[in-house]
Amino acid sequence: MSIFAAAAAETFQPSDWLFENVWIVPAIMAASFLYILFFGKTFPGKDRVHYVGLAAITVALGFSLATAFMWVTQYEDNQSHGSEASSAFVGEGIVSTVEADEKEESSGASGQGCLAEDNRVGSLQAAGEDEYALGTGLLTDSGELAVEAGEDGKGEGHIKAKSVVRCLEWFSTGSFGGDTAQGSDNLTFNIGTIADGQSIMMLVVVTFISFLVHLYSTEYVKGDRRYVHYYAFLSLFTASMLFMVLSSSTLQLIVGWELVGVCSFGLIGHWWEEKPNSDAALKAFLTNRVGDIGLLVGMIVLFFGAGQTFDIETINYLAVHDGLSQTTMTVAALCLMTAVMSKSGQFILHTWLPDAMAGPTPVSALIHAATMVVAGVYMIGRLYPVFWFGLTIPGSSLNALAFVGALTVVGGGALAFVQNDVKKVLAYSTVSQLGYMVLALGVGAWTAGMFHLFTHAFFKACLFLGAGALSHACHHSFDMKAEMGGLRKRMPVTFATFMVGTLALVGVFPFAGFWSKDEILVGTGGFPSTNANGNYTLLLIMGLIGAAMTAGYMTRVIWLVFFGEYRGHVDPHDPPAVMKYPLIALAGLSVITGFLNFPSDWFGGLGTRYGLKFEQWVEPGGGSTFPVIGHGDSNLALAVIASLVGIGSAAFVWNYYQKLYAKDPNATEVTDGLRSRNKAAAGGYALLENKYYLDHLYEGAIADGTKGPLARAAYWFNQNVLDEIVNTAGRTSTVLGRFIYRFIDQGAIDGSVNLSGRGASESGGLLRKVQSGRIRQYASLMFGAATVLAAVFIVAI
Amino acid sequence: MYLTQYLLLAAVLFCIGVYGVLTRRNGVLVLMSIELILNAVNINMVAFGTYNADVGGQVFALFIIAVAAAEVGVGLAIVLLIYRNRRSIDVSDASLMRG
Amino acid sequence: MLASVSLFAQATGNSWDLPANIAFGIISVIAIGAALRMVTTNNVVHSALYLLIVLASVAAVYILLGAEFAAATQVLVYIGAILVLLLFGVMLTRARLGGDEDLNYEQRWIGLGVSVLLFVVMTYSIWEQYGTKDEARLVGYEPQRTAEVADSIFSTYIVPFEAVSVLLLAALIGAVVVARRD
């Protein structure tokens, strides 16, 4: 440890300070939250409380931009130095990798740093990996690996910067037995930050969108009855999202994950006086709990699999170097996937996301489109080796992750067609786009997935804030059919920005979505001569279908909102400046962000010089804590095909509405169309309108359905098991005998009715009989049954 | 001295506690009987801790004492609430949870 | 009781720790007697005072077992805090200070049946498992020092410790929320 510290001291760079102290960013937001929480109500004029939040987020944004700038500069500097004398450079150390906290050093617990090489080596030795080079320190070791990976991969010789990890000891405890990576009986749990391309990218996205949303909200929620509460939650959300993004241990990640869930709950139910809103908040919370169980189980599996450590870098390192068994990684990856499915709205657990639109629109933009919902995607990216090897992404023809993603792309896209609420369309579009990200990660196109996350954040936030502007103008309604139409002339700025966002979402050249979506399609490797990791033809086709759907439903939205005749009652106009400028800024970014990662073989020399910057900046170097992954070669034919599919779909929908308009300027749908003539089409529409009946399944079949069988089972148990045991059990039999009398008397009638099939509600009534409400009866039954059970155990064993 | 004698003492106290829970009408007395049960369990904890020469038993006895304090706090709050609403703390009267 | 008497008789035959056993006998008789009175008396306040005697005897049992810190905590927390809390509960619910015929459930044989059954099962299993076997002897044990307990709580059992502290906080808030007048 002291060697590392010395190396760090010698090669001190100004940027190091920023990377090691990124914790300041969430800390600022947390301070802002606490200030608003405690002093918001007494703030001079509480309708000006947004100044606190705005000031904090501005500082945080500045800090993250500076960090990102330093990261990029450092990378670019390394390229110029590195090409001259890469070995010398590696010897110097790119950045200090491990910065042990001083307290830790002084206490002599040097073997328990957050990713101390000794520990990993120790556990690798335990795993029987003797051939691995053990004696070398982490710095040179992984530095060389990174260079090797660069040379192996594409022959580009890029030197990837190492992530900067800094931790403090959080708490320590006794081990849970067995071999531990830390090599002692005491386990130390660290809390810390990771600064690398991925987390810094998220830092910028979160603070930037959050800044614009803070600004936008000053007008949008002006005069709200819970204005202070709203800003407090915005700050808390930003703080916890940043905390999650920067976390260096999976335990910390879980804490952040749950914190953003709480904020989401609080903000969806912001107007909880109305029943649907509080229902939506509860639904979001409960659906996420389903996934959280997967998260907990997965993290615990990883904890024990990796020798009792929560440290993300160590887990990744072990996953890359065969320190984790295949089964462990598969089980962990599948469990974590459940968490991704609920948090990132993947198909079958996506149902909460559209309902979450009950919250204020800026919140939908920030939380349910741009940042929180990508937490799952981010988590996959963070623990990518576990998924990569656990699901054997490079070797399989179809894996669960990619398939769930592809299903979400198509399923979510189809649902967007039947919504009349502009926000719901965007919500399903988000579901579909999240599917793209998961699909990309599932097929091994890490950079493509992360890049889509990056671009999507901007254009989807732009669309959501645009929808907010529409609602602001149209009497707080989001109904495209009843309240909108023909707004193109009345709200020109909103129209222009919404249009840019749409073009980016649909993936029209040269808008942002084009580049990221194209990379994902390339990454599937289904198209000839793309040289991607896998060969997923089916997923490529599903991706293309998704692209066609995106174009289709977005054209429908554009037409219904901005074209045709105005159908509302108020006089809509463009929003005021504080709402307008965020829209313009996001629209601008939706145009240009795509160029951060254009393929290197495009635009001649420009491509080799400036192409694929995002990949170089954000993707970690393979080999040490990241698998060595290949990158697909971009293909012009595929880009053209994808564009044509989108344009064709858009033209089809446009044509449909043009015809409709020619017939009747006020019509929003054909009344005697295909649906009334064709049964299959009507059935399909009903299926979509009922959201594949998933809610019915969850509420009707699962929730109500368990009541019936459970009641029947309890009845049977009472009748057969308890009855017989109790009769032989001497003195307690009289208590229960009276009980059973009641059952035979009344239960038998209900029971026969039940058998004749009156269904679940009647059998639920049976369970009522047990619920006499008398505490003494419960207590006697409980103690009696426990005693009898104990006696049975003693006799049996 | 045998471990057995402590375990038997605990068993006797436990059963008396159970009897109290099942026969007392007064909510506060029911809570007291529950305390008796918890104490019986604690004797077991400490006895086994000594028997195995492991402080774990004593530590968990301390945890149980802490949990018992929490239990009495919440339990008394509930009893007071019942009393306030119904002017009676007869646990037999509290049968509103009837299905 | 019979079981413990026979145990006592058997134990005296062997070489055993006489003073400790005498102390145990006295303590257990007091504890069991007070506990029986506690669940049968018709006076709520007396019942609470009998509970005090039981709790104090249990603290004495802890000392016999060499668990000093648990004994001290027993006195401080149980007798000092919980019992006072229970007496407050008695006072706030305005129980009659004199006798009260109505204190017991009329069908007390149910409770008696359950607890006797429970006692039979437990005694049987304890006797089967340990009885007066040699490996059940408690000889030459060292008192467990408070320092050891503290070390153990703050290292090995840190996670349960934190969990208990959260639980206490939750119970505190919960009690306030449940009991406050609104």
Side-chain angles (χ1 to χ4, degrees):
Chain A
M1 196 59 65
S2 55
I3 302 166
F4 294 139
E10 276 169 31
T11 61
F12 180 80
Q13 294 174 4
S15 56
D16 287 353
W17 188 86
L18 279 173
F19 299 147
E20 282 162 18
N21 291 291
V22 277
W23 58 268
I24 291 175
V25 188
I28 292 169
M29 296 316 294
S32 155
F33 163 68
L34 289 176
Y35 185 84
I36 297 176
L37 185 70
F38 290 117
F39 304 108
K41 296 261 163 148
T42 53
F43 197 71
K46 71 174 184 185
D47 52 336
R48 286 202 298 275
V49 75
H50 57 256
Y51 287 133
V52 181
L54 261 177
I57 191 66
T58 311
V59 176
L61 175 65
F63 202 103
S64 352
L65 287 177
T67 313
F69 179 74
M70 278 301 179
W71 183 262
V72 168
T73 317
Q74 173 196 274
Y75 172 81
E76 296 297 341
D77 285 354
N78 288 351
Q79 297 320 303
S80 46
H81 289 292
S83 53
E84 290 158 19
S86 70
S87 60
F89 175 67
V90 168
E92 279 173 26
I94 298 160
V95 284
S96 62
T97 40
V98 179
E99 189 68 21
D101 183 57
E102 285 158 28
K103 189 180 89 187
E104 217 174 281
E105 261 188 309
S106 60
S107 69
S110 57
Q112 300 174 349
C114 33
L115 75 162
E117 178 71 357
D118 313 342
N119 300 338
R120 285 185 191 162
V121 172
S123 63
L124 274 179
Q125 270 171 330
E129 287 288 311
D130 294 327
E131 72 270 22
Y132 189 73
L134 296 176
T136 49
L138 175 66
L139 200 61
T140 38
D141 185 40
S142 40
E144 277 167 5
L145 274 169
V147 177
E148 275 168 30
E151 285 165 358
D152 287 350
K154 288 257 170 164
E156 292 158 344
H158 289 302
I159 299 163
K160 302 282 191 181
K162 279 292 297 172
S163 53
V164 182
V165 182
R166 187 183 188 206
C167 339
L168 291 171
E169 186 178 321
W170 188 358
F171 60 92
S172 72
T173 172
S175 81
F176 300 94
D179 292 332
T180 68
Q182 295 182 7
S184 71
D185 281 345
N186 279 329
L187 294 181
T188 308
F189 295 92
N190 290 312
I191 188 165
T193 57
I194 291 187
D196 65 352
Q198 194 190 351
S199 61
I200 290 174
M201 182 271 285
M202 282 302 284
L203 211 61
V204 172
V205 170
V206 174
T207 48
F208 186 74
I209 308 274
S210 181
F211 170 72
L212 292 183
V213 164
H214 270 82
L215 197 62
Y216 184 95
S217 301
T218 55
E219 177 66 30
Y220 192 86
V221 289
K222 188 191 256 174
D224 191 84
R225 53 186 177 271
R226 274 189 290 279
Y227 196 69
V228 176
H229 163 279
Y230 178 86
Y231 269 95
F233 260 117
L234 272 192
S235 284
L236 178 62
F237 169 75
T238 315
S240 35
M241 186 72 198
L242 295 171
F243 179 78
M244 195 208 86
V245 161
L246 292 172
S247 51
S248 74
S249 79
T250 53
L251 194 61
Q252 200 182 338
L253 194 126
I254 293 172
V255 172
W257 181 283
E258 300 293 352
L259 271 174
V260 292
V262 169
C263 296
S264 163
F265 171 79
L267 285 167
I268 294 171
H270 182 68
W271 294 306
W272 47 262
E273 285 89 347
E274 285 142 56
K275 188 84 168 66
N277 295 352
S278 66
D279 282 353
L282 268 182
K283 185 175 177 183
F285 201 69
L286 292 178
T287 315
N288 272 305
R289 291 247 72 75
V290 175
D292 290 347
I293 298 299
L295 181 73
L296 280 178
V297 173
M299 291 307 186
I300 291 168
V301 167
L302 281 181
F303 173 76
F304 284 106
Q308 305 189 5
T309 178
F310 284 117
D311 190 69
I312 288 176
E313 295 262 286
T314 310
I315 291 171
N316 282 345
Y317 183 88
L318 290 174
V320 173
H321 295 103
D322 292 335
L324 287 169
S325 77
Q326 178 67 40
T327 324
T328 311
M329 286 192 286
T330 310
V331 171
L334 289 175
C335 288
L336 295 179
M337 231 175 76
T338 330
V340 174
M341 281 165 74
S342 68
K343 188 65 98 189
S344 288
Q346 296 299 297
F347 210 66
I348 72 165
L349 290 179
H350 67 278
T351 53
W352 68 274
L353 188 52
D355 285 14
M357 298 306 141
T361 310
V363 165
S364 307
L366 174 64
I367 299 184
H368 304 112
T371 59
M372 187 196 80
V373 289
V374 299
V377 178
Y378 178 83
M379 196 255 293
I380 303 179
R382 190 38 99 202
L383 292 167
Y384 202 54
V386 176
F387 287 89
W388 175 265
F389 295 106
L391 301 171
T392 55
I393 288 172
S396 64
S397 60
L398 191 63
N399 67 63
L401 194 62
F403 184 70
V404 165
L407 202 64
T408 312
V409 169
V410 176
L415 287 171
F417 276 101
V418 297
Q419 302 298 323
N420 293 333
D421 181 321
V422 60
K423 264 177 89 179
K424 289 242 161 120
V425 177
L426 294 177
Y428 280 113
S429 154
T430 307
V431 169
S432 172
Q433 299 300 311
L434 288 166
Y436 269 116
M437 297 172 206
V438 172
L439 167 68
L441 292 168
V443 297
W446 190 92
T447 311
M450 284 298 150
F451 189 48
H452 198 58
L453 187 164
F454 183 70
T455 56
H456 174 262
F458 296 116
F459 59 70
K460 190 51 71 65
C462 175
L463 287 173
F464 264 107
L465 294 184
L470 290 174
S471 141
H472 201 66
C474 298
H475 203 62
H476 296 288
S477 168
F478 291 100
D479 193 327
M480 295 189 289
K481 287 187 177 171
E483 299 282 348
M484 296 178 191
L487 295 177
R488 141 179 119 262
K489 298 231 175 59
R490 294 163 192 256
M491 304 174 71
V493 177
T494 314
F495 171 66
T497 53
F498 203 89
M499 203 62 208
V500 170
T502 304
L503 291 173
L505 172 62
V506 170
V508 175
F509 180 84
F511 295 93
F514 170 78
W515 305 101
S516 51
K517 197 173 288 181
D518 187 50
E519 265 182 58
I520 294 174
L521 295 177
V522 166
T524 58
F527 203 73
S529 73
T530 43
N531 299 325
N533 290 297
N535 190 17
Y536 301 94
T537 314
L538 173 68
L539 300 182
L540 172 68
I541 293 167
M542 288 173 91
L544 284 172
I545 294 173
M549 284 177 161
T550 314
Y553 64 70
M554 283 318 290
T555 312
R556 175 172 173 268
V557 169
I558 293 284
W559 203 92
L560 283 176
V561 173
F562 293 106
F563 291 84
E565 296 296 322
Y566 179 58
R567 294 177 291 273
H569 313 291
V570 287
D571 181 29
H573 46 81
D574 264 330
V578 283
M579 283 170 77
K580 213 186 312 185
Y581 289 116
L583 283 175
I584 295 170
L586 286 168
L589 283 169
S590 307
V591 180
I592 59 169
T593 44
F595 289 98
L596 278 177
N597 206 33
F598 66 84
S600 52
D601 49 355
W602 284 43
F603 307 127
L606 278 178
T608 40
R609 179 77 188 83
Y610 297 110
L612 292 178
K613 280 294 167 202
F614 187 85
E615 178 185 316
Q616 294 163 14
W617 292 336
V618 172
E619 191 178 296
S624 174
T625 58
F626 196 75
V628 182
I629 61 175
H631 300 94
D633 300 329
S634 70
N635 191 307
L636 192 62
L638 179 58
V640 170
I641 289 174
S643 300
L644 284 180
V645 164
I647 293 168
S649 161
F652 179 79
V653 175
W654 185 264
N655 190 31
Y656 170 88
Y657 281 107
Q658 277 308 122
K659 274 187 189 157
L660 201 64
Y661 183 70
K663 237 187 269 173
D664 173 12
N666 277 317
T668 54
E669 58 184 316
V670 182
T671 42
D672 57 342
L674 197 58
R675 226 191 313 156
S676 49
R677 279 180 276 125
N678 185 326
K679 256 203 171 129
Y685 190 86
L687 181 71
L688 289 178
E689 201 160 42
N690 289 295
K691 302 173 252 176
Y692 305 119
Y693 296 97
L694 278 176
D695 281 340
H696 294 76
L697 175 75
Y698 295 153
E699 278 163 34
I702 296 179
D704 292 342
T706 45
K707 273 189 229 158
L710 207 66
R712 268 195 292 276
Y715 176 63
W716 182 89
F717 186 77
N718 267 308
Q719 286 286 54
N720 297 304
V721 182
L722 275 187
D723 189 351
E724 276 164 35
I725 294 173
V726 161
N727 273 333
T728 55
R731 298 188 185 169
T732 47
S733 64
T734 329
V735 191
L736 293 159
R738 213 178 49 155
F739 211 65
I740 286 150
Y741 164 70
R742 186 172 296 152
F743 259 108
I744 292 165
D745 189 42
Q746 297 176 19
I749 302 163
D750 275 13
S752 61
V753 166
N754 188 23
L755 287 172
S756 68
R758 284 228 325 253
S761 57
E762 278 82 2
S763 55
L766 269 177
L767 202 58
R768 279 183 55 205
K769 299 289 182 291
V770 193
Q771 314 282 346
S772 67
R774 290 202 202 118
I775 295 170
R776 194 175 321 285
Q777 209 168 45
Y778 293 159
S780 317
L781 206 64
M782 189 186 88
F783 280 114
T787 315
V788 171
L789 273 179
V792 168
F793 279 133
I794 289 166
V795 171
I797 295 168
Chain B
M1 292 235 283
Y2 288 94
L3 174 65
T4 324
Q5 57 201 80
Y6 292 97
L7 300 186
L8 285 177
L9 173 65
V12 172
L13 291 181
F14 189 92
C15 295
I16 294 172
V18 169
Y19 174 79
V21 169
L22 294 186
T23 54
R24 291 303 205 175
R25 276 179 179 281
N26 187 318
V28 181
L29 288 180
V30 171
L31 282 180
M32 287 185 201
S33 307
I34 292 175
E35 292 309 309
L36 195 55
I37 293 177
L38 290 172
N39 264 279
V41 174
N42 261 353
I43 292 179
N44 271 8
M45 285 280 176
V46 174
F48 274 109
T50 305
Y51 177 62
N52 293 323
D54 181 358
V55 279
Q58 204 182 333
V59 169
F60 272 91
L62 294 173
F63 286 154
I64 291 176
I65 292 177
V67 172
E71 179 256 336
V72 169
V74 176
L76 270 182
I78 293 171
V79 168
L80 283 184
L81 197 68
I82 292 174
Y83 177 74
R84 198 180 297 146
N85 288 334
R86 305 171 72 92
R87 291 284 132 194
S88 151
I89 48 168
D90 187 342
V91 285
S92 313
D93 289 350
S95 59
L96 273 180
M97 289 291 277
R98 188 175 50 240
Chain C
M1 286 302 282
L2 271 178
S4 36
V5 169
S6 76
L7 176 71
F8 194 76
Q10 273 187 347
T12 42
N14 304 323
S15 64
W16 61 296
D17 193 354
L18 186 69
N21 261 335
I22 291 172
F24 178 79
I26 295 169
I27 291 166
S28 55
V29 166
I30 293 176
I32 293 169
L36 281 174
R37 285 301 290 149
M38 185 200 122
V39 294
T40 49
T41 179
N42 277 335
N43 187 321
V44 184
V45 179
H46 286 185
S47 188
L49 295 176
Y50 281 121
L51 179 63
L52 188 150
I53 298 175
V54 179
L55 296 176
S57 328
V58 172
V61 169
Y62 291 162
I63 289 180
L64 268 187
L65 284 166
E68 309 156 342
F69 187 63
T73 315
Q74 171 88 0
V75 173
L76 287 176
V77 175
Y78 260 115
I79 302 175
I82 295 182
L83 202 70
V84 172
L85 204 61
L86 284 168
L87 281 171
F88 265 109
V90 171
M91 196 178 75
L92 285 172
T93 52
R94 290 182 206 148
R96 261 167 285 172
L97 281 175
D100 187 355
E101 293 304 315
D102 211 22
L103 218 50
N104 287 323
Y105 196 47
E106 49 280 3
Q107 289 156 310
R108 67 181 67 170
W109 48 267
I110 298 173
L112 196 63
V114 170
S115 55
V116 167
L117 185 71
L118 194 61
F119 180 67
V120 169
V121 170
M122 288 206 294
T123 314
Y124 172 76
S125 55
I126 291 169
W127 197 260
E128 273 297 291
Q129 186 65 38
Y130 296 104
T132 50
K133 293 173 186 165
D134 268 350
E135 69 258 29
R137 293 184 80 92
L138 280 172
V139 277
Y141 55 84
E142 290 285 310
Q144 292 169 340
R145 312 227 169 265
T146 305
E148 289 171 48
V149 176
D151 279 348
S152 187
I153 287 182
F154 292 106
S155 61
T156 317
Y157 298 107
I158 182 77
V159 177
F161 174 76
E162 296 293 342
V164 166
S165 44
V166 171
L167 178 90
L168 273 178
L169 179 66
L172 186 76
I173 297 169
V176 170
V177 169
V178 169
R180 81 180 166 156
R181 240 175 254 275
D182 45 10

